[in-house]
Amino acid sequence: MGIVEELEHRSTHPIATALVNYVNSQSYVKVPMENIRDITGSGLSGEVDGSIWNIGKGDFVLNETSEKQALLKEVRHIQEEGKTVIFVSKDHHVVAYFALLDTPKEDGKEMVDFFRSQGVHTILVTGDNEATAKTIAELVGIDEFRANCMPQEKTEIVKELQKTYKMVAMVGDGVNDAPALANADIGIAIGEGTDIAMETAEIILMKNKLSLLIYSYKVSKKLRKITLANITFSLSVIAILIISNLLQVINLPMGVIGHEGSTILVILNGLRMLIPLKVKGVESKSTTATVLENTKGIPE
């Protein structure tokens, strides 16, 4: 237990946090460790009294031996239940493994259903094994999933999708997601994510609620609709005023009055953004107030 705590407490990954919380609830002896290395997307490694300890994914911890095949077969049914299995080895021999259930958020299925209804193709890109990814994808209703993805592979998937779709948004919260967030057309960091994910993303949802994704989408659609209406109206009024003046239908003072009047109408139409949007799980208030609240605490 002390080995697990010593390795994992240095990581901000949700799985590491879960393991540390579990270990802290048990009795264990503190173990000093040397040469600790964080292998991004795979796990952690360290040394104790000359022995090498590894913790992380099967491909990282397990050697290509009969032991690996036997263990993978043993944990297969656990992974098919949607659980993520983390292995612990000493000198490349497995001494323990942990099964963690990555339960979807309460509003996860609702969020996926909403975006699918809007014609958005949803894809789960994860470092978890295929059995776990498939279970979670089916549970939430995601269209497609990609499993066993390293950080660089996530980036390549984003670039691949950009060739097929006009706009690709990436939602993530971890260190492994940062490269993909940077390359996506829209990078969105969720809730209590890592600092690097929040610094990389264009949009930061300060509350750990997926319903805020629905809210952000509706705010964007509303803003786009109002902006296009204002541009179309403004250009139309200017064109009408110019033509009317050239044809001597109205004089210059009336043209100025017409132009200023149209400006007031554009401003009033823009104030429609203050009308609250109703989204389940998001407190009803003006659009501007909610956006300002969600940007509190973001470092400049």
Side-chain angles (χ1 to χ4, degrees):
M1 288 294 187
I3 296 291
V4 174
E5 196 279 337
E6 183 66 17
L7 283 169
E8 294 288 7
H9 86 273
R10 304 166 188 275
S11 174
T12 56
H13 195 282
I15 289 179
T17 302
L19 285 173
V20 170
N21 290 338
Y22 171 74
V23 171
N24 287 335
S25 68
Q26 311 294 316
S27 297
Y28 70 94
V29 178
K30 191 79 173 177
V31 179
M33 184 167 283
E34 302 174 342
N35 301 325
I36 296 176
R37 295 181 299 127
D38 185 349
I39 295 84
T40 304
S42 296
L44 296 108
S45 177
E47 294 182 23
V48 177
D49 296 330
S51 295
I52 299 175
W53 288 83
N54 292 329
I55 183 169
K57 297 167 63 175
D59 291 339
F60 168 65
V61 174
L62 304 175
N63 284 332
E64 290 293 340
T65 62
S66 57
E67 178 188 35
K68 175 179 179 179
Q69 298 305 320
L71 275 170
L72 291 179
K73 185 177 181 180
E74 180 181 335
V75 302
R76 182 69 181 178
H77 72 280
I78 298 176
Q79 294 173 334
E80 289 174 350
E81 294 174 357
K83 296 176 182 177
T84 299
V85 179
I86 302 299
F87 296 91
V88 182
S89 71
K90 178 183 179 182
D91 292 328
H92 306 295
H93 292 287
V94 174
V95 296
Y97 63 80
F98 297 88
L100 298 91
L101 182 60
D102 190 9
T103 55
K105 295 184 182 298
E106 294 179 359
D107 50 357
K109 182 169 176 53
E110 179 186 349
M111 181 270 293
V112 172
D113 289 343
F114 170 79
F115 282 108
R116 291 183 69 182
S117 70
Q118 299 297 308
V120 177
H121 186 73
T122 55
I123 301 177
L124 171 65
V125 181
T126 177
D128 285 335
N129 63 84
E130 187 169 348
T132 301
K134 181 180 180 181
T135 301
I136 296 298
E138 290 177 349
L139 187 62
V140 180
I142 293 175
D143 296 310
E144 182 184 346
F145 70 89
R146 309 282 183 92
N148 298 309
C149 296
M150 300 293 283
Q152 185 56 38
E153 291 174 321
K154 292 183 179 182
T155 302
E156 292 171 359
I157 290 172
V158 167
K159 292 180 179 179
E160 172 192 328
L161 293 172
Q162 287 173 328
K163 297 177 182 178
T164 305
Y165 301 96
K166 292 178 63 177
M167 186 72 64
V168 175
M170 169 72 183
V171 183
D173 62 358
V175 174
N176 298 343
D177 299 321
L181 287 170
N183 283 275
D185 297 304
I186 305 174
I188 305 171
I190 269 197
E192 302 167 356
T194 58
D195 291 339
I196 189 171
M198 297 178 73
E199 289 173 3
T200 305
E202 286 85 14
I203 299 175
I204 303 172
L205 305 180
M206 298 305 292
K207 293 183 179 179
N208 204 20
K209 292 183 178 180
L210 291 177
S211 55
L212 284 172
L213 285 172
I214 301 176
Y215 185 86
S216 300
Y217 181 84
K218 288 188 174 182
V219 167
S220 300
K221 294 275 284 187
K222 183 177 180 180
L223 178 60
R224 183 175 184 273
K225 183 178 179 181
I226 291 175
T227 301
L228 288 176
N230 281 344
I231 292 174
T232 302
F233 177 73
S234 299
L235 292 177
S236 299
V237 169
I238 291 173
I240 291 171
L241 289 174
I242 291 174
I243 293 172
S244 298
N245 185 255
L246 290 174
L247 297 176
Q248 300 291 312
V249 175
I250 60 173
N251 54 30
L252 185 59
M254 290 300 296
V256 172
I257 293 174
H259 181 268
E260 297 305 318
S262 68
T263 302
I264 294 173
L265 292 176
V266 166
I267 293 172
L268 292 175
N269 188 45
L271 291 177
R272 287 169 52 206
M273 287 297 295
L274 296 176
I275 300 174
L277 284 174
K278 294 183 179 180
V279 175
K280 184 179 178 180
V282 179
E283 184 180 351
S284 179
K285 58 181 72 175
S286 75
T287 303
T288 305
T290 303
V291 170
L292 288 174
E293 178 181 304
N294 286 332
T295 57
K296 287 180 180 178
I298 299 177
E300 295 182 358

